[in-house]
């Protein structure tokens, strides 16, 4: 891609080299550690599901049982496999035995290691085959039905009731939406378990559960057949259950997942060590399943100034790219985040936004960038808000963004109504249609404001990445260089759920998903 901004390729290469070094340093810690969430994810992928008599998920029951017995460093896969060889039971039957007290995994006599590895490998292989099949189904449906043009029109539903969400989602699809995101209930990211079954009560959203995924997937497939295009389903695998929700999404054929450890660290105060380990496994799963991940750099601009701190967004995008590559997730599945969040009273603010959006496109040419709408400076004036959203839509089509979360003219007033969403879609379609090829027709002035702004932000991002490479990512977060939010390496929620892997540790899914057929 020829740079319209005259960005220095050497600077971009330097930024990537620093980001790779930053990610590699953290990867060493990730490779040596596991978490309670990673182990619960392995249990789910081996076939454990359901709840006990007090609604505690069986993956939690099994992992807590092993943890309390002091065996979690060996990994849940080993203990399940050992019991499978010893008893001839399935992982689900073993979990039920642990739940009712009839089976103690740590007191089960040790079996032949090769036999344990074999039964674990077969169970893991069955699930990997199922997830691979889901990916093939998606690809087949895309071939048969087709899809909307990029930028994909991305709309949210957030009623708290999955059945009401279905009604709203289907209406949005008929109006033109390409991606439906089911917003999670407020603070679900802080739950250290995944709720079970369909849910009809939530606060600010609907709980992410496997049954809710299944219900919405079925509804969108039905409506997609009616409108003649494949509809993508999005949810959130962030927070304390990041890889578990990624696994459930892979099992139920979700297409997009919000998946960013830095978001949880900064805005939910989740321990950075815990969530970076969790993020790696979640991205391995998403990469293998063909799920696009959305990253959360746009959130920095809700707590920091979009003009002064624009370089932190770019630096984080470089780091997220490298973390994703290490998890086997290709660039085509990295919806790196950014946002249209500059103060509309700034002179030439649109030109600065255009520079930022074009820069992201040029630096990450294969990524389906996720572009977020104005929220911070929406006032409740719906007429001005609709114009702000129109400017946002213009910047998006001009710079070839990949995923467009549509702005709502009623932002700052209330949760959008169906007609608010309809107006948002109408706005975007009008601008996208009338300006479809503006990016190919208009060039930027040599040495002009847009080029100078992009070059300045890139240079600042390179300098920040070099500093992070020197200091380390943990110290950088502790100093509040992302979003102006400071977090402690040994603070935050979930630290006690991190464990160093012991001798004989087993996670069959890493090898199968990173080394298997994509």
């Amino acid at each position: 891609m020829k740079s319209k901004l005259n960005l220095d390729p050497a600077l971009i290469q330097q930024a990537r080299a620093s980001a790779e070094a930053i990610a590699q340093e953290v990867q060493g810690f990730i490779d040596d550690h596991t978490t309670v969430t990673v182990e619960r994810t392995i249990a789910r992928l081996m076939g454990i599901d359901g709840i006990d008599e007090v609604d505690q998920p069986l993956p939690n029951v099994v992992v807590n049982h092993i943890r309390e017995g002091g065996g979690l460093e060996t990994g849940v896969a080993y203990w399940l496999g050992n019991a499978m060889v010893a008893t001839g039971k399935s992982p689900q039957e073993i979990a039920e035995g642990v739940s009712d007290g009839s089976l103690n995994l740590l007191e089960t006599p040790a079996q032949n290691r090769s036999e344990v590895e074999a039964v674990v490998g077969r169970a893991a292989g069955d699930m990997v085959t199922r997830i691979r099949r889901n990916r093939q189904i998606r690809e087949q449906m895309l071939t048969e039905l087709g899809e909307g043009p990029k930028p994909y029109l991305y709309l949210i539903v957030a009623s708290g009731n999955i059945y009401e969400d279905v009604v709203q989602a289907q209406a949005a699809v008929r109006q033109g939406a390409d991606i439906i995101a089911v917003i999670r209930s407020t603070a679900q990211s802080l739950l250290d378990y995944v709720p079970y079954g369909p849910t009809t009560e939530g606060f600010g959203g609907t709980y992410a559960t496997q049954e809710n995924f299944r219900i919405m997937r079925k509804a969108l497939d039905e409506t997609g057949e009616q409108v003649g295009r494949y509809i993508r389903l999005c949810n959130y695998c962030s927070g304390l259950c990041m890889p578990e929700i990624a696994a459930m999404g892979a099992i139920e054929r979700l297409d997009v997942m919000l998946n960013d450890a830095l978001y949880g660290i900064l805005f939910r105060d989740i321990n950075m060590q815990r969530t970076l380990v969790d993020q790696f496994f979640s991205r391995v799963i998403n990469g293998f399943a063909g799920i696009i991940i959305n990253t959360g750099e746009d959130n920095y601009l809700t707590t920091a100034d979009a003009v002064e701190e624009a370089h932190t967004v770019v630096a984080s995008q470089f780091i997220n790219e490298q973390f994703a590559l290490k998890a086997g997730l290709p660039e085509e599945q990295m919806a790196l985040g950014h946002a249209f969040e500059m103060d509309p009273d700034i002179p030439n603010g649109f030109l600065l936004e255009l520079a930022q959006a074009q820069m992201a496109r040029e630096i990450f040419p294969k990524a389906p960038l996720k572009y977020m709408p104005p929220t911070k400076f929406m006032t409740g004036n719906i007429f001005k808000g609709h114009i702000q959203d129109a400017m946002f839509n213009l910047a998006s089509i001009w710079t070839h963004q990949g995923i467009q979360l549509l702005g709502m003219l009623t932002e700052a007033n209330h949760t959008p109504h169906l007609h608010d969403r309809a107006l948002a879609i109408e706005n975007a379609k009008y601008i996208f249609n009338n300006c479809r090829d503006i990016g190919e027709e208009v060039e930027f002035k040599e040495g002009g404001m847009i080029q100078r702004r992009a070059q300045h932000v890139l240079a600042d991002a390179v300098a920040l990445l070099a500093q992070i490479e020197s200091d380390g990512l943990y110290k950088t977060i502790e100093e509040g260089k992302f979003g102006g939010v400071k977090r402690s390496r040994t603070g935050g929620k979930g630290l006690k759920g991190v464990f160093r892997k012991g001798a004989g540790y087993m996670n069959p899914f890493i090898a199968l998903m990173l080394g298997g057929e994509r």
Side-chain angles (χ1 to χ4, degrees), residues 203-465:
F203 303 92
T206 305
Y207 285 100
T209 74
Q210 189 165 337
E211 183 61 24
N212 286 347
F213 290 177
R214 186 178 298 120
I215 290 168
M216 186 60 79
R217 175 74 277 164
K218 180 175 183 292
L220 294 183
D221 283 348
E222 291 172 352
T223 311
E225 290 280 355
Q226 294 168 7
V227 300
R229 67 182 188 280
Y230 184 75
I231 307 301
R232 287 177 165 83
L233 173 57
C234 174
N235 213 286
Y236 294 66
C237 64
S238 57
L240 288 168
C241 294
M242 184 184 292
E244 282 187 274
I245 296 175
M248 297 189 314
I251 292 168
E252 300 303 333
R253 190 169 39 86
L254 269 69
D255 309 283
V256 184
M257 280 285 193
L258 281 82
N259 185 206
D260 188 349
L262 290 178
Y263 173 82
I265 294 166
L266 300 176
F267 299 101
R268 294 294 180 265
D269 195 18
I270 296 172
N271 175 263
M272 62 180 79
Q273 298 179 68
R274 163 83 176 262
T275 196
L276 285 164
V277 175
D278 287 345
Q279 177 182 262
F280 174 71
F281 193 28
S282 68
R283 290 186 173 183
V284 169
I285 296 167
N286 285 327
F288 183 77
I291 293 172
I292 294 170
I293 65 163
N294 291 345
T295 62
E297 284 83 4
D298 50 278
N299 292 282
Y300 303 168
L301 304 182
T302 64
T303 55
D305 182 79
V307 176
E308 298 299 324
E309 301 299 324
H311 65 289
T312 67
V313 170
V314 179
S316 181
Q317 289 171 331
F318 274 113
I319 294 170
N320 252 318
E321 176 190 49
Q322 294 303 315
F323 274 129
L325 289 172
K326 289 187 179 301
L329 200 143
E331 295 170 70
E332 291 80 2
Q333 289 172 230
M334 300 179 197
L336 301 170
H338 61 136
F340 189 96
E341 285 285 22
M342 293 180 189
D343 187 337
D345 291 333
I346 296 173
N348 290 313
F350 179 75
L351 302 188
L352 302 183
E353 295 280 17
L354 201 60
Q356 190 80 12
Q358 180 66 26
M359 176 172 50
R361 171 46 62 216
E362 291 187 11
I363 294 173
F364 307 101
K366 296 180 182 178
L369 299 170
K370 180 198 70 169
Y371 203 19
M372 297 292 283
T375 58
K376 187 175 180 179
F377 293 100
M378 296 289 271
T379 64
N381 178 340
I382 62 172
F383 304 105
K384 181 179 180 181
H386 210 40
I387 295 171
Q388 287 175 263
D389 289 336
M391 299 288 277
F392 161 64
N393 291 331
L394 178 59
S396 181
I397 194 67
W398 195 326
T399 60
H400 302 290
Q401 301 300 306
I403 296 175
Q404 182 85 342
L405 197 156
L406 296 183
M408 297 293 147
L409 76 169
T410 50
E411 182 74 37
N413 287 337
H414 56 70
T415 300
H417 297 307
L418 290 177
H419 53 269
D420 299 331
R421 295 190 179 102
L423 289 169
I425 292 173
E426 182 180 73
N427 183 326
K429 283 189 167 182
Y430 168 69
I431 292 171
F432 288 178
N433 180 59
N434 279 270
C435 298
R436 174 63 59 184
D437 296 316
I438 189 171
E440 277 67 52
E441 294 295 320
V442 179
E443 296 182 354
F444 301 133
K445 179 181 177 181
E446 188 77 19
M449 182 186 303
I450 291 175
Q451 287 194 358
R452 293 197 312 272
R453 169 63 180 177
Q455 292 163 9
H456 173 72
V457 172
L458 174 60
D460 283 352
V462 171
L464 176 58
L465 285 164

Side-chain angles (χ1 to χ4, degrees), residues 53-71:
E53 68 279 1
V54 294
D55 293 340
Q56 183 178 195
L58 290 181
N60 287 66
V61 171
V62 171
V63 170
N64 290 343
H65 165 75
I66 298 170
R67 179 183 184 180
E68 290 163 6

Side-chain angles (χ1 to χ4, degrees), residues 19-40:
E20 199 282 330
I22 293 163
Q24 184 57 41
E25 180 186 17
V26 178
Q27 191 66 40
F29 180 88
I30 291 169
D31 291 341
D32 289 340
H33 290 79
T34 185
T35 73
V36 290
T37 323
V38 168
E39 299 307 313
R40 295 196 303 255

